[in-house]
């Protein structure tokens, strides 16, 4: 990189690509081999939760772990900060 | 002992056919008997890259359907004595390819004493791609250092681990290799392109070759000569290395470093 490049402030795009790939590949690998209904289950659960809490689609993680003959479906939702919690139904009630 | 190698990628246009042609040709140059089969039913292309398009009389589907013998359909390469091409059919009927039919053709090639069968997979994850990988012993996964290609290759790795004959029979894994194409060390140096190490780390595969981006690939396909035969080209040398590694040699990667810059280029950026 030359001197002129020091004044460029944008992060190198390759590292952005690497980070995005790392996340999506890990996510797709964890879903691999799992039951076909997982994506649909995820979407429907998201719809139900969104009736009460305004969560981001990315805030829901579903993982299927296999350990010694038993399967564990792990489900986690990251709730937003308090200010952002606006149940979808509230407005219709007022 | 015949080895069946599938050249696959998921994404289209990354260099599967270029790679199939050059790897097959390179193996034949080293005295191996090689058959290279185009699995892209409906979109025949390997014949053009190999430069034998005008000599196609019978194709893969003709053999499977019993319209001709395998010997009649195999096109002997004009340059390499021990290299044979089996062209894809131009039929639009994708069901023309069956697992039993493919097995029969492979068995006949094995009985005939071929050392390598290179299966040029179509893009995508449909039937043709599935059958190209189904009986493979090894897989060359062709990847461009670019997000969609890397992601698609990972899908393919998933299929290699579950939807192949070896996986289904529990008969050992398909041995997977990563081949990076259209690699530009300059752009990697500038942080604009994923590096070999990046792709290797994301996919978790051993690297069998890194092919530099070059105008030589287009001129080779224009001429119908596998690019590995253009000895002056760095692309050819990189494919030669990949062939050697496939045969078990250990070689350092070439053409992955940026050429050294002069003083002015370093100070003012280039």
């Amino acid at each position: 990189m030359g001197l002129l490049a020091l004044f460029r402030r944008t992060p190198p795009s390759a590292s952005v690509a690497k980070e995005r790939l790392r996340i999506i590949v890990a996510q797709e690998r964890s879903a691999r081999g799992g039951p076909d209904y997982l994506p649909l289950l995820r979407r429907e659960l998201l719809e139900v939760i969104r009736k009460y809490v305004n969560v981001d689609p990315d805030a829901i993680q579903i993982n299927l772990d296999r350990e010694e003959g038993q399967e564990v479906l792990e489900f986690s939702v990251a709730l937003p900060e308090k200010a952002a919690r606006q149940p979808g139904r509230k407005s219709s009630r007022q | 002992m015949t080895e069946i190698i599938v050249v696959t990628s998921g994404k289209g246009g990354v260099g599967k056919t270029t790679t199939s042609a050059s790897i097959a040709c390179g193996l034949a140059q080293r005295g191996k008997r090689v058959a290279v089969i185009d699995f892209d039913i409906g979109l025949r292309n390997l014949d053009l890259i190999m430069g034998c398009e005008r000599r196609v009389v019978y194709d893969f589907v003709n053999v499977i359907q019993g319209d001709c013998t395998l010997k009649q359909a195999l096109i002997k390469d004009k340059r390499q004595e021990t290299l044979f091409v089996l062209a894809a059919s131009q039929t639009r009927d994708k069901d023309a390819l069956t697992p039993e039919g493919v097995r029969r053709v492979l068995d006949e090639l094995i009985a005939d004493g071929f050392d390598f069968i290179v299966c040029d997979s179509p893009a995508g994850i449909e039937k043709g791609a599935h059958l190209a990988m189904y009986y493979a012993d090894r897989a060359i996964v062709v990847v461009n250092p670019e997000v969609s290609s890397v992601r698609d290759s990972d899908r393919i790795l998933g299929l290699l681990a579950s939807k192949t004959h070896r996986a289904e029979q529990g008969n050992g894994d398909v041995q997977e290799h990563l081949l990076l194409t259209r690699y530009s060390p300059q752009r990697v140096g500038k942080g604009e392109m994923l590096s070999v190490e990046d792709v290797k780390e994301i996919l978790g595969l051993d690297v069998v070759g890194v092919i530099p981006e070059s105008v030589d690939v287009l001129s080779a396909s224009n001429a119908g000569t596998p690019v590995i035969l253009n000895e002056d080209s760095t692309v050819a040398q990189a494919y030669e290395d990949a062939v050697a590694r496939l045969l078990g040699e250990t070689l350092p990667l070439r053409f992955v470093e940026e050429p050294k810059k002069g003083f002015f280029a370093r100070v003012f950026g280039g």
Side-chain angles (χ1 to χ4, degrees):
Chain A
M1 230 183 267
L3 272 181
L4 297 177
L6 291 178
F7 298 104
R8 282 188 229 129
R9 279 281 163 216
T10 47
S13 60
S15 51
V16 178
K18 187 180 178 187
E19 203 41 44
R20 290 174 60 213
L21 276 170
R22 221 205 302 260
I23 294 166
I24 193 70
V25 165
Q27 194 184 323
E28 287 175 349
R29 280 183 184 178
S30 71
R32 201 175 284 165
D36 292 340
Y37 60 74
L38 271 189
L40 188 64
L41 175 68
R42 185 178 186 279
R43 203 161 58 233
E44 288 190 10
L45 283 170
L46 181 68
E47 276 169 26
V48 173
I49 291 167
R50 279 186 137 178
K51 282 186 184 172
Y52 303 94
V53 190
N54 192 15
V55 295
D56 195 69
D58 293 337
I60 293 194
Q61 290 290 336
I62 296 186
N63 284 316
L64 193 69
D65 285 330
R66 284 185 198 82
E67 298 168 4
E68 294 164 20
Q70 62 172 0
E71 288 181 301
V72 179
L73 190 66
E74 189 186 275
F75 177 68
S76 76
V77 187
L79 292 178
E81 298 289 315
K82 263 208 168 130
R85 288 190 200 176
Q86 283 181 346
R89 280 179 172 175
K90 214 174 192 175
S91 54
S92 61
R93 275 187 202 154
Q94 282 171 344
Chain B
M1 185 52 196
T2 311
E3 222 170 338
I4 303 174
I5 303 177
V6 61
V7 178
T8 182
S9 72
K11 190 173 181 294
V14 297
K16 284 182 294 298
T17 302
T18 299
T19 299
S20 299
S22 279
I23 296 287
C25 193
L27 287 167
Q29 273 183 314
R30 288 165 177 256
K32 307 290 180 191
R33 276 195 86 207
V34 186
V36 54
I37 307 178
D38 190 348
F39 274 77
D40 204 346
I41 303 305
L43 293 169
R44 174 196 292 169
N45 269 324
L46 179 68
D47 56 337
L48 273 177
I49 302 301
M50 296 293 298
C52 64
E53 69 278 7
R54 294 179 60 192
R55 293 195 292 142
V56 178
V57 180
Y58 294 112
D59 58 54
F60 195 11
V61 169
N62 288 141
V63 181
I64 288 176
Q65 293 180 340
D67 305 332
C68 65
T69 64
L70 177 60
K71 269 213 172 65
Q72 287 174 301
L74 283 177
I75 305 163
K76 190 173 178 178
D77 188 77
K78 279 173 292 185
R79 299 151 293 228
Q80 310 292 328
E81 281 275 293
T82 57
L83 177 58
F84 295 83
V85 180
L86 185 53
S89 135
Q90 289 287 50
T91 172
R92 284 193 295 172
D93 177 16
K94 299 253 175 194
D95 293 329
L97 220 55
T98 59
E100 304 76 40
V102 172
R103 185 71 258 180
R104 243 184 8 251
V105 171
L106 295 177
D107 282 341
E108 206 175 327
L109 290 169
I110 292 168
D112 206 353
F114 276 91
D115 297 306
F116 289 95
I117 302 170
V118 177
C119 303
D120 182 21
S121 172
I125 51 175
E126 299 299 313
K127 198 168 186 184
H130 175 236
L131 283 176
M133 71 167 68
Y134 190 68
Y135 294 107
D137 301 308
R138 293 167 98 171
I140 298 175
V141 183
V142 183
V143 182
N144 284 172
E146 173 274 326
V147 286
S148 50
S149 174
V150 175
R151 182 201 208 169
D152 287 357
S153 318
D154 195 63
R155 279 296 305 275
I156 290 293
L157 292 176
L159 296 177
L160 284 167
S162 62
K163 302 272 189 256
T164 52
H165 189 255
R166 273 176 175 271
E168 286 174 4
Q169 301 295 311
N171 190 16
D173 292 333
V174 176
Q175 202 185 339
E176 300 154 344
H177 307 277
L178 172 64
L179 186 109
L180 269 169
T181 53
R182 310 199 63 171
Y183 195 75
S184 165
Q186 288 87 351
R187 303 196 72 185
V188 171
K190 285 185 196 153
E192 295 172 357
M193 183 181 267
L194 292 165
S195 70
V196 186
E197 292 305 317
D198 291 341
V199 181
K200 206 169 128 180
E201 191 186 316
I202 294 162
L203 295 177
L205 284 189
D206 88 38
V207 179
V208 77
V210 178
I211 313 300
E213 168 84 334
S214 164
V215 294
D216 299 337
V217 174
L218 182 59
S219 18
S221 88
N222 286 341
T225 312
V227 65
I228 197 171
L229 294 175
N230 178 0
E231 282 164 19
D232 303 329
S233 170
T234 53
V235 173
Q237 293 159 29
Y239 271 122
E240 293 276 3
D241 287 2
V243 170
R245 291 189 197 101
L246 279 176
L247 292 171
E249 288 177 39
T250 312
L251 296 171
L253 289 176
R254 289 196 277 174
F255 320 115
V256 291
E257 298 296 333
E258 225 176 330
K260 291 269 181 291
K261 282 182 186 172
F263 172 75
F264 282 102
R266 256 185 287 144
V267 172
F268 296 106

